[in-house]
Amino acid sequence: MRVPPDLTVLLVLDLVGTFAFALNGALTAIRAVDVDLVGVLTLGIVTAVGGGIVRDVLLGALPPATFVDWRYLAVAAAGALIAFFFSRPLRRMRISIHVLDAAGLSLFAVTGAGKALELGVGPVQAVLLGALTGVGGGTIRDVLIRQVPDVLRTGLYAVPALVAAGLVVLAGRTGVDEVLGAPVALAAAGACFTIRMLGLRFHLNAPRPPGVPRRRAGQTR
Amino acid sequence: MRVPPDLTVLLVLDLVGTFAFALNGALTAIRAVDVDLVGVLTLGIVTAVGGGIVRDVLLGALPPATFVDWRYLAVAAAGALIAFFFSRPLRRMRISIHVLDAAGLSLFAVTGAGKALELGVGPVQAVLLGALTGVGGGTIRDVLIRQVPDVLRTGLYAVPALVAAGLVVLAGRTGVDEVLGAPVALAAAGACFTIRMLGLRFHLNAPRPPGVPRRRAGQTR
Amino acid sequence: MRVPPDLTVLLVLDLVGTFAFALNGALTAIRAVDVDLVGVLTLGIVTAVGGGIVRDVLLGALPPATFVDWRYLAVAAAGALIAFFFSRPLRRMRISIHVLDAAGLSLFAVTGAGKALELGVGPVQAVLLGALTGVGGGTIRDVLIRQVPDVLRTGLYAVPALVAAGLVVLAGRTGVDEVLGAPVALAAAGACFTIRMLGLRFHLNAPRPPGVPRRRAGQTR
C-alpha cells in the first residue's frame, strides 16, 4: 500500500507512535511476565501494530497497512529490541512507560481518526476508530499477559483519545485540515497527551457508578 | 449500510438484543471489576456489538453493520448508560443479568443466522455464525475482565443458541421463512430463551468428558 | 472456496494439522478447566481453525477458508470428539499434547506461509503470517482458558515456526517449490518439528533480557 503525498504527516506521526508503543509494550512485558526475546518482540510488535490492525479490519482495509508496509514492522521491531537490550538502563533513566504510552495513544488516536475519515466512514465512527486505534494495541497486550486492560480501569485513558480523535474529525469536517494538516494533527495529539498526563499526575478519573463501593484496582469479583 | 425492507424484523430483534446485551455487559462489568464510566460504556458496547462484529468480519461484510449503522451504537450506549446510573435499583429490582443475557443470546443467534443465510454461506456455517453472534460479545467481555467465558463452562449456553440458529436455517432452506418471517424468528428465539432459562433453573449441563473428575467452576489447572 | 489441484499438498497437510491441533486443544481444555462437551468442542475447534482464520482476516481472504470449507470444521470436530470420549486412555497412552502441538505448529507454519505467498504478500509478511498461522489457534485457546500463551513464555515456540515459514518462502522465491512442492513442504515442517521437540527435550530457550531476574513460568507482576 502506497501512502499518497498528503498523508506524509500521518505517516511520520504513525511511525513515531509505533516506536513509542513498541518500546512501551516490550518494557511492560519484561516487567509483567517471564518472557524471552521472542515474547518481548511479540508483545512489543502487538502493542505497536495491534490498534492499527483492528482499525483496518473494521474498515475492511485489508491487508492492514501496518502489516503490509514494512516500515511499521521494522520500527516496531527496533523499538522492542531496544527495550530488550536496554531494559535496565531505561528503567534507571526513569523513561516512563506511562509517557511512552501517552505518546503512542495520542499519535494513534490522531492518525486512526484521520485514516477513518479518508476511507469515508461517518464522524462518530471516525472518532471511535481513532480512539480504538489508540487503545487497541495496549488492550491486546494486556489480554495476552492477563492484566485488566488500562482502558477499563485507569482514569482518563480513553477520554483523551476520544478528544484527540474528535478534534481531528471536527477539523476534517470543517475543512480546516486542508490548509492546516500538520498543525491540527499536532495540536490534537498534544491535547490528548496533556489530558492523559494531567490525569495520571492528579489521579483524575472518569465518574464512577453511583452507589457502588470502590475496590482495589484490577480486583475481580 | 442500508437494511432492505424485508429485513425489518431482523433489525428490530437485533436492536432489542443489542439493548439487552449492553445492559447485561455493563452490569456484569460493574459487579466484576472496578470500572468508571468509560469502562462501563466500553464493556456494555463491546458485549452488545462484539458478536455481530465477529460475524461480519468472518463473512467479509466490512465495515461491520453494527459499527456503521449508528442505531446499534446509540442503543448500546443507551443500555450501558442506564446500567451505569441505575445499577443499584436494577439490582434491587432483581432484573436478572441472566435473563438479559438469555434474551440477547436468543435474539442474536436468530439474527446472526439470518444474516449469514442472506450472505450466502452454507447451512452449517450459518448455524455456527448464528451461535457465534450470540456468544461472541459476552466472550470478548469475559476475556477483557479475565473471567473464563460462560460458553466454556456453564450448562447449556451454546446449545440453545445452536438450536435457534438451526431452526432459522431450517426455515430458510425449506422456504418457510418467505411466508412466516417474523413468527419463525420469534419462535426460534423463544426456543433458545426457554432452553437457556430451563438450563439455568434446573442446572442442566451438556455431557462432561467421561472419567474426568469435576472441579469448581472457573478453576484452572 | 475451491482449492486448485496444485494445492492438494497444502490441503492434506492443513487437514492433518487441523486434526492434531483439535486433539491438542481439546485435551488441553479438559486438563485446564472444568469443561463440558460444548467447551471441549469449542476449544478444540478454536485451536484448530483459529490460526488460519487470523491469517485469512489479515490477508483479506474472507470468508476464511477454514470456515467456508466444511472439511476443516469436520476434521476439527472429529479431533475434539475423540479427545472428549477418550481423554483418559489418550493420557494413559502418553500421546503427548506437546507432540500434537508441535505437529500442528509445523504443518500450519508451512501451509500458512504457502497461502500467504499464493495471495501475493511480501516475503517478510509471508514468513510472519506462516508463523502466526502456527501459533494463532493455541494463543486464542490460552487466552480463553486464562493461561499466558505458550508463544510468550516457553522456549523455542515461535522460532521453529518462523524457520519453517522462512524455508517455504525461500523455496517459493527461488522457484524450487515449482518442481519440489511436497518435499519442500515436508522438509520445512520436519525442520520445525525437530527444532520444537529438541527445544522441549533440552529446555532450550530464546535469549532472555539481560539483567532481568528470572521468575516462575507464567507468574505475573
Side-chain angles (χ1 to χ4, degrees):
Chain A
M1 184 173 141
R2 202 62 32 93
V3 177
D6 57 316
L7 289 181
T8 310
V9 175
L10 282 191
L11 177 67
V12 171
L13 295 182
D14 233 14
L15 290 177
V16 175
T18 300
F19 184 78
F21 261 174
L23 211 50
N24 161 282
L27 289 173
T28 304
I30 292 168
R31 284 215 308 208
V33 282
D34 194 46
V35 282
D36 57 16
L37 176 57
V38 174
V40 171
L41 272 170
T42 303
L43 285 170
I45 293 175
V46 162
T47 308
V49 305
I53 286 180
V54 171
R55 174 201 61 204
D56 287 355
V57 167
L58 290 183
L59 285 168
L62 299 173
T66 44
F67 190 76
V68 174
D69 188 330
W70 65 271
R71 290 171 293 197
Y72 290 98
L73 291 173
V75 166
L81 282 176
I82 288 172
F84 180 81
F85 286 111
F86 304 107
S87 66
R88 282 185 72 194
L90 282 172
R91 209 177 303 179
R92 223 179 289 126
M93 283 169 63
R94 295 190 179 280
I95 288 188
S96 167
I97 282 186
H98 288 304
V99 173
L100 292 171
D101 192 57
L105 181 74
S106 309
L107 296 167
F108 279 177
V110 167
T111 59
K115 177 156 187 188
L117 281 184
E118 284 284 323
L119 292 179
V121 299
V124 173
Q125 280 79 14
V127 172
L128 288 177
L129 278 178
L132 190 60
T133 310
V135 307
T139 301
I140 299 175
R141 176 203 65 213
D142 288 341
V143 165
L144 289 175
I145 63 176
R146 300 194 302 180
Q147 294 186 354
V148 172
D150 281 340
V151 70
L152 296 183
R153 62 186 170 117
T154 67
L156 301 195
Y157 191 77
V159 170
L162 289 166
V163 168
L167 289 172
V168 169
V169 170
L170 197 69
R173 302 286 280 196
T174 55
V176 172
D177 68 339
E178 299 283 326
V179 275
L180 291 173
V184 164
L186 287 173
C192 173
F193 187 84
T194 307
I195 298 173
R196 174 65 182 150
M197 295 315 292
L198 288 176
L200 280 173
R201 176 70 187 77
F202 297 107
H203 302 288
L204 304 179
N205 279 289
R208 303 189 62 262
V212 176
R214 183 167 204 98
R215 276 161 291 185
R216 284 182 299 112
Q219 178 188 1
T220 49
R221 295 257 174 180
Chain B
M1 181 173 148
R2 203 58 35 93
V3 176
D6 57 317
L7 288 182
T8 309
V9 175
L10 281 191
L11 177 67
V12 170
L13 295 183
D14 234 13
L15 290 177
V16 175
T18 299
F19 185 78
F21 261 173
L23 211 51
N24 161 283
L27 290 173
T28 304
I30 292 168
R31 284 218 306 208
V33 282
D34 194 45
V35 282
D36 57 16
L37 176 57
V38 174
V40 171
L41 272 169
T42 304
L43 285 170
I45 294 175
V46 162
T47 308
V49 305
I53 286 180
V54 170
R55 174 201 62 204
D56 287 355
V57 167
L58 291 182
L59 284 168
L62 299 173
T66 44
F67 190 76
V68 173
D69 188 330
W70 65 270
R71 290 171 292 197
Y72 290 97
L73 291 174
V75 167
L81 282 177
I82 289 172
F84 180 81
F85 286 111
F86 304 108
S87 67
R88 281 184 74 195
L90 282 172
R91 208 177 304 177
R92 223 179 290 124
M93 281 170 64
R94 296 189 177 281
I95 288 188
S96 167
I97 283 186
H98 288 305
V99 173
L100 292 170
D101 191 56
L105 180 74
S106 308
L107 295 167
F108 278 177
V110 167
T111 59
K115 177 156 186 189
L117 280 184
E118 285 284 322
L119 291 179
V121 299
V124 173
Q125 280 79 15
V127 171
L128 288 177
L129 278 178
L132 191 60
T133 310
V135 307
T139 301
I140 299 175
R141 176 201 64 210
D142 288 341
V143 165
L144 289 175
I145 62 176
R146 300 194 304 180
Q147 295 186 353
V148 172
D150 282 340
V151 69
L152 295 182
R153 63 185 168 115
T154 67
L156 301 195
Y157 192 77
V159 169
L162 289 165
V163 168
L167 288 173
V168 170
V169 171
L170 198 68
R173 301 287 280 197
T174 54
V176 172
D177 68 339
E178 299 283 327
V179 275
L180 291 173
V184 164
L186 289 173
C192 174
F193 187 84
T194 307
I195 298 172
R196 174 66 182 148
M197 295 315 292
L198 288 175
L200 280 174
R201 175 71 188 76
F202 297 107
H203 302 288
L204 302 179
N205 279 289
R208 303 189 61 262
V212 176
R214 183 168 205 98
R215 276 162 290 186
R216 283 183 299 112
Q219 179 188 0
T220 49
R221 295 257 175 180
Chain C
M1 183 172 145
R2 202 61 33 91
V3 177
D6 57 316
L7 289 181
T8 310
V9 175
L10 281 190
L11 176 67
V12 170
L13 294 183
D14 233 15
L15 291 177
V16 175
T18 299
F19 185 78
F21 261 174
L23 211 50
N24 162 283
L27 289 173
T28 304
I30 292 168
R31 285 216 307 208
V33 282
D34 194 46
V35 282
D36 57 15
L37 176 57
V38 174
V40 171
L41 271 169
T42 304
L43 285 169
I45 293 175
V46 162
T47 308
V49 305
I53 285 180
V54 171
R55 175 200 61 204
D56 287 356
V57 167
L58 290 182
L59 284 169
L62 299 173
T66 44
F67 189 76
V68 174
D69 189 328
W70 65 271
R71 290 171 292 196
Y72 290 97
L73 291 174
V75 166
L81 283 176
I82 289 172
F84 180 81
F85 286 112
F86 304 107
S87 67
R88 281 185 73 194
L90 282 172
R91 208 177 303 179
R92 222 178 291 126
M93 283 169 63
R94 296 188 179 281
I95 288 189
S96 167
I97 283 186
H98 288 305
V99 173
L100 292 170
D101 191 56
L105 181 74
S106 309
L107 295 166
F108 279 177
V110 167
T111 59
K115 177 156 187 188
L117 280 184
E118 285 283 323
L119 291 179
V121 299
V124 173
Q125 280 78 15
V127 171
L128 289 177
L129 279 178
L132 191 60
T133 310
V135 307
T139 301
I140 299 175
R141 177 202 63 212
D142 287 341
V143 165
L144 288 175
I145 61 176
R146 299 194 302 180
Q147 294 186 354
V148 173
D150 281 339
V151 69
L152 295 183
R153 63 185 169 116
T154 67
L156 300 196
Y157 192 77
V159 170
L162 289 165
V163 167
L167 289 174
V168 169
V169 171
L170 197 69
R173 303 285 283 196
T174 55
V176 172
D177 67 340
E178 298 284 325
V179 276
L180 290 173
V184 164
L186 288 173
C192 174
F193 187 84
T194 307
I195 298 173
R196 174 65 182 150
M197 295 314 292
L198 287 176
L200 280 173
R201 175 70 187 78
F202 297 107
H203 303 288
L204 303 180
N205 280 289
R208 304 189 61 262
V212 176
R214 183 170 204 94
R215 276 162 291 186
R216 282 183 301 112
Q219 179 188 0
T220 49
R221 296 254 180 183

